[in-house]
Amino acid sequence: MAGPEHTEPVHEALVPASSAALTGALEVIGAGAYVVDEEGCIVAVNGRAERLLGRTAGELLGQDAHDLLHRGPHGQPIPRTQCAMRQPFHSGRTAQADEDYFAAADGSVLLISWLITPYDYGDHRTGTLVVFHTPEPSQPPLAPSPRTSQSLSELQRLALLAETTTRLTSTLDADEALDRLVALVVPRLADWVIVDLIAERDEVWRTVVVHADGDTLVRHEDLQGPMPPIPQQSPMPLSRALRGVSSTLAGPQTYQGTPDSGIAAEQGRLFKATGMHTAAIAPIRSTRAVLGALTLGRAENPETFASADLPLIEDIARRAGLALDNARLYQRQRKVAETMQTHLLPQMPGVPGLRMTVRYLPAPDASHVGGDWYDAFPLSPTSTALAIGDVVGHDLEAAAGMAQVRNMLRAYAWSQQDPPSRIVERLDAAIHHITDVDMVTLIFARIEAAEDNHWRLSWTNGGHPPPLLVSRDGLATYLTDGHGILLGTQTNLPRPDATALLPPGSTLVLYTDGLVEAPGRPLDSGLDRLRQHAAALAHRPLASFSDQLLRRVRPADNDDDVALLALRVPWD
């Protein structure tokens, strides 16, 4: 690849990018294929390329593709300025050549045909996909296969399938997967794309109707919406596709007669509204069920679809089905996790003279229910307990352990009117005997009214991030006193207590570490970020303060759940 000059042979940051998913996407290509990053270094390669080049993936990954592979017809290195891939590589466009030369490991020169195209290989990284083919000695350089999909060459078809696999399987959001599907097929294959999805109880919803107006994609929401039920015997193309029977070609003439079902009537109206003169319709299947149908249509493009186009469109629809099924499973798991966590966490009591709000954000992994929790409950007519904690782990055991620890803490706090430190000491001593919890961090506090409209906070901290107190004027201070070790160490060390006055207009923030910690970053930077944003938001109403704090502070690469309890002393 014609990237910039390199002085070191291996690009160290690239090996992690060659993930199993990316390599798997390249393996479906029936030709040699590799992906390079923006600097022209190889980040993934398929087995076919390894065999053609006589090099292992370990010998290719991280190498500058131009320096390693590109040669003249006699094996001589070629300057980057004379490389045919250079201009399309730097301009980010698709290009191909019927005759070029790569160097094999044994020193021989391979006659190849190649295609390059921009390629999104996940985590917002954009590189370039190179697909190449080595003709047999008796064959001419690779030529386009019989006319399919606007005369796509075989290399273009393979590149499109690889890009479809990577782009659709790298998201677990169904709407995002559909947007990516649209961008892949129009205007490359058609100028209209329609997606009909089967929802609960076999109801059909026309989810996507998009037209490519030049390079602009226009969504026609007036053509979207609910569809009639799927007829079980209709031979019409969309009905067959929604039953998972087969892929079919269609045109306006298909719907000229009396419609045999409501779906056929809707399809006739679709052809009239869009002006499509040809369409290819394929089932969208997962491994478990038929999820819907993909329709690609042409109106401005004069070429009609042919039977030879259907295998490619079926392959694209099949990959879309797998992506949509994964997204649905993910959302279902996430909903179960969120529902379970919601039922485990308590409702907050009303405390006269105080405002209180809580928030909980689950971990990004849908299967994770967490050990983070918050709690508040009355201890007496004038005193309220506050707690925030985190049981180590991100699974059902952590969630169950969280419920056990929270309930034990409530029992000790209610039955024994001792300082917070003594209550937590008793909890710590009992954890290994009564629960399966290994480690816990928490803050346990008692708040009660004091003189001059102030409130007195007494607390102990068991290895948890410190509370943050924000004044009405935006002065934010961490309450670092009262800090002891986390629970579960069995060291039996005494725990300290601390006390602070909360003035009118001040806001107390209790939170778990998922709000301020991120992989590879120091905790201090997360704490500074929380302090700065909390100070800036001090004038906001408490609900808005909490929502904005989570939105602004929680790290984008956070892999942990977050619990937050915010309490405000009214000004008047």
Side-chain angles (χ1 to χ4, degrees), residues 47-63:
R48 182 71 64 89
E50 292 181 70
R51 292 189 291 273
L52 289 174
L53 298 172
R55 303 176 189 270
T56 66
E59 295 170 327
L60 292 165
L61 294 177
Q63 298 291 336

Side-chain angles (χ1 to χ4, degrees), residues 262-544:
I263 279 187
E266 288 297 326
Q267 282 294 86
R269 284 190 280 270
L270 176 72
F271 273 86
K272 290 179 181 178
T274 61
M276 295 187 302
H277 62 83
T278 182
I281 305 173
I284 297 177
R285 296 189 185 94
S286 71
T287 56
R288 302 179 299 119
V290 180
L291 304 183
L294 170 67
T295 299
L296 299 184
R298 293 173 182 167
E300 290 84 1
N301 183 342
E303 289 192 53
T304 59
F305 281 111
S307 297
D309 295 312
L310 291 177
L312 173 62
I313 297 170
E314 288 173 348
D315 280 341
I316 293 171
R318 189 178 303 113
R319 285 159 172 77
L322 293 174
L324 290 172
D325 194 40
N326 287 338
R328 288 181 176 183
L329 288 173
Y330 174 84
Q331 292 301 326
R332 193 174 300 129
Q333 290 174 347
R334 188 174 188 88
K335 184 64 176 177
V336 169
E338 290 178 359
T339 300
M340 179 178 178
Q341 195 82 39
T342 298
H343 287 294
L344 287 173
L345 294 172
Q347 297 296 315
M348 291 296 98
V351 180
L354 287 177
R355 296 169 188 161
M356 192 185 308
T357 188
V358 292
R359 296 289 185 270
Y360 175 78
L361 293 178
D365 188 327
S367 64
H368 284 174
V369 287
D372 290 22
W373 92 91
Y374 51 74
D375 203 359
F377 51 94
L379 294 173
S380 71
T382 59
S383 178
T384 299
L386 305 174
I388 192 91
D390 185 0
V391 170
V392 174
H394 304 289
D395 51 25
L396 289 172
E397 289 186 5
M402 172 268 287
Q404 291 176 314
V405 171
R406 188 198 70 208
N407 292 337
M408 288 171 61
L409 179 61
R410 279 191 166 207
Y412 282 129
W414 179 256
S415 64
Q416 303 174 18
Q417 299 298 314
D418 287 332
S421 61
R422 291 292 299 139
I423 293 170
V424 173
E425 285 172 3
R426 291 189 177 93
L427 176 66
D428 192 9
I431 279 179
H432 283 294
H433 300 286
I434 300 178
T435 77
D436 295 324
V437 172
D438 292 323
M439 298 286 181
V440 184
T441 71
L442 66 80
I443 292 172
F444 178 63
R446 179 182 290 118
I447 190 167
E448 52 197 351
E451 61 280 353
D452 300 329
N453 295 323
H454 285 59
W455 286 72
R456 180 177 292 105
L457 180 76
S458 303
W459 77 94
T460 189
N461 187 332
H464 201 80
L468 179 64
L469 182 61
V470 187
S471 73
R472 179 172 178 267
D473 297 325
L475 179 63
T477 306
Y478 283 107
L479 305 180
T480 56
D481 293 338
H483 199 90
I485 62 173
L486 76 169
L487 285 68
T489 62
Q490 304 185 60
T491 56
N492 299 319
L493 293 175
R495 294 185 177 276
D497 284 293
T499 303
L501 287 176
L502 310 186
S506 62
T507 303
L508 177 70
V509 183
L510 303 178
Y511 55 95
T512 55
D513 57 5
L515 184 62
V516 292
E517 286 189 348
R521 299 183 203 169
L523 176 61
D524 287 347
S525 65
L527 292 172
D528 285 343
R529 184 176 177 84
L530 172 60
R531 177 181 53 77
Q532 291 168 358
H533 283 285
L537 294 166
H539 65 288
R540 294 278 190 111
L542 191 59
S544 175

